[in-house]
Amino acid sequence: MSDLPGMNRGALERFLRDNNIELDGTLSVETISGGRSNLTYKAYDDTSTWVVRRPPTSGLTPSAHDMAREWAVTEALASTEVPVARTVAFDREGSVLGAPMTVVEFVPGRVVRTREDLSDLTDAQVTDNAAELVRVLARLHAVDPAAVGLGAFGRPDGFVTRQVATWARQWHSVKTRDLPDVDRLHRALEAAIPTHSASSIVHGDYRVDNTILDADNVGSVAAVVDWEMSTLGDPLTDVALMCIYRQPVFDAVLGADAAWTSDRYPSADDLAQQYAVESGRELQNWGFYLALANFKLGVIGEGITHRALSGSDTGAGARSAADATGEFVAAGLRALSGSGE
């Protein structure tokens, strides 16, 4: 049986045994997801199941596929009210698959990725799901990083300033054409950076498809996954990104009809207000955070097309992902001007 891309079943089997994981029968491996995110596999024997994650085999952006970061935060949050998969083993050096790899417990449940996945849910269930997602995000932001061993997990001071600069640099690395409004938005963001911002553990990519829901109750999150973008930073960046992901144009970036862009979910404004109530946190300088989230997603869409044109991203809609950039940038400018998203 030939191995899946990015996988070496024999090497994984030896790694598990070397980490005192007794196998019952033959180890089998299946792909759960791949493409632009980290490659994710289900590995199982006759009695147990695990999830294995590693970076993509091409088009690697180290900061976006940081397995050590994902491992550290998942392990630390196990003792909190934030639901995560139990950590099992970590190959930090990449000696098993040629890249760093994490192994965690398999969490059974339901993953909602596309609008089709919402088709058998009632409107009440969708509303309950959204409320639970907001509750879990608020719980994450309430965790004391130092108390769970993550006091040095990031540099919260100056976080939003660095975010603005980082995404501006990234734009100049990936742009496929000149868009004057991108530079205009960058300058406006620089001028609007809040003088004070809060600090917490942030997920960095929070929306419904980065969670596993209880199989029988979508109003309960069984585990939050995909932590490779997590750090210590301003919690409102997490909230704003969750809200901006709700825009229909995000489908062009994902190359799919995303569940999270469905109009069956509460509006971005409603989600933000639910978070404010749940967390007790004021949404100060909210226009800035919405603009920054739009800026980030506009650059990400451009980057996907940039990689497609260079031959390193052949995913669905990759060459047209940059079509969304202008809309995100325009929305960012409107957010800063106070005229809405």
Side-chain angles (χ1 to χ4, degrees):
M1 181 173 60
S2 61
D3 278 317
L4 300 166
M7 173 54 62
N8 182 324
R9 188 184 60 82
L12 176 61
E13 182 172 337
R14 290 190 294 273
F15 174 75
L16 293 175
R17 293 187 188 280
D18 289 346
N19 280 271
N20 300 314
I21 300 169
E22 294 299 325
L23 298 179
D24 181 10
T26 302
L27 182 71
S28 298
V29 182
E30 300 174 358
T31 299
I32 295 178
S33 67
R36 294 169 195 150
S37 183
N38 283 327
L39 302 179
T40 307
Y41 311 88
K42 180 169 76 171
Y44 57 94
D45 61 11
D46 291 343
T47 58
S48 301
T49 306
W50 305 273
V51 171
V52 180
R53 278 169 59 81
R54 56 147 296 165
T57 57
S58 64
L60 180 62
T61 305
S63 62
H65 305 284
D66 191 336
M67 305 311 299
R69 181 169 298 277
E70 180 166 280
W71 175 263
V73 72
T74 306
E75 190 171 43
L77 290 174
S79 62
T80 74
E81 293 185 343
V82 181
V84 293
R86 183 180 66 85
T87 53
V88 175
F90 179 35
D91 175 23
R92 185 181 300 273
E93 304 302 323
S95 59
V96 179
L97 301 180
M101 171 192 73
T102 62
V103 182
V104 301
E105 70 175 354
F106 176 81
V107 178
R110 178 173 189 153
V111 178
V112 174
R113 298 189 187 281
T114 67
R115 288 199 276 281
E116 179 64 26
D117 295 331
L118 293 173
S119 60
D120 63 339
L121 298 181
T122 66
D123 289 343
Q125 287 175 311
V126 173
T127 298
D128 287 347
N129 173 238
E132 169 70 352
L133 291 170
V134 170
R135 280 193 294 270
V136 170
L137 188 61
R139 288 183 200 136
L140 171 64
H141 294 161
V143 172
D144 178 355
V148 296
L150 294 176
F153 191 54
R155 295 182 296 146
D157 291 342
F159 177 76
V160 291
T161 299
R162 291 194 303 276
Q163 284 285 293
V164 171
T166 294
W167 291 105
R169 287 195 303 271
Q170 184 69 3
W171 168 255
H172 290 291
S173 296
V174 303
K175 67 177 182 178
T176 63
R177 66 278 165 77
D178 288 325
L179 286 178
D181 274 355
V182 175
D183 294 326
R184 181 181 165 210
L185 177 56
H186 174 218
R187 291 192 299 271
L189 283 166
E190 285 186 314
I193 291 172
T195 56
H196 172 76
S197 63
S199 171
S200 74
I201 302 168
V202 295
H203 181 275
D205 196 19
Y206 191 78
R207 57 183 190 266
V208 66
D209 49 307
N210 283 336
T211 67
I212 299 171
L213 309 176
D214 185 288
D216 300 317
N217 178 15
V218 296
S220 176
V221 172
V224 180
V225 298
D226 292 3
W227 290 93
E228 64 267 27
M229 296 293 288
S230 60
T231 189
L232 298 187
D234 190 323
L236 292 188
T237 61
D238 251 358
V239 186
L241 194 59
M242 173 185 69
C243 291
I244 296 306
Y245 280 145
R246 287 283 292 111
Q247 295 184 83
V249 70
F250 185 53
D251 288 353
V253 175
L254 284 184
D257 293 332
W260 193 236
T261 63
S262 169
D263 60 9
R264 297 183 63 196
Y265 275 109
S267 70
D269 285 345
D270 286 344
L271 289 171
Q273 289 306 312
Q274 286 181 34
Y275 174 85
V277 171
E278 190 69 37
S279 66
R281 193 184 303 276
E282 293 185 22
L283 303 180
Q284 294 183 330
N285 302 299
W286 187 233
F288 168 84
Y289 291 98
L290 291 176
L292 177 58
N294 275 294
F295 186 46
K296 176 178 178 177
L297 288 185
V299 176
I300 287 173
E302 190 81 8
I304 291 169
T305 294
H306 174 81
R307 291 193 297 276
L309 295 174
S310 67
S312 61
D313 190 335
T314 57
R319 286 179 174 267
S320 60
D323 292 347
T325 298
E327 289 194 44
F328 282 120
V329 171
L333 289 168
R334 290 196 301 273
L336 278 179
S337 70
S339 59
E341 294 174 39

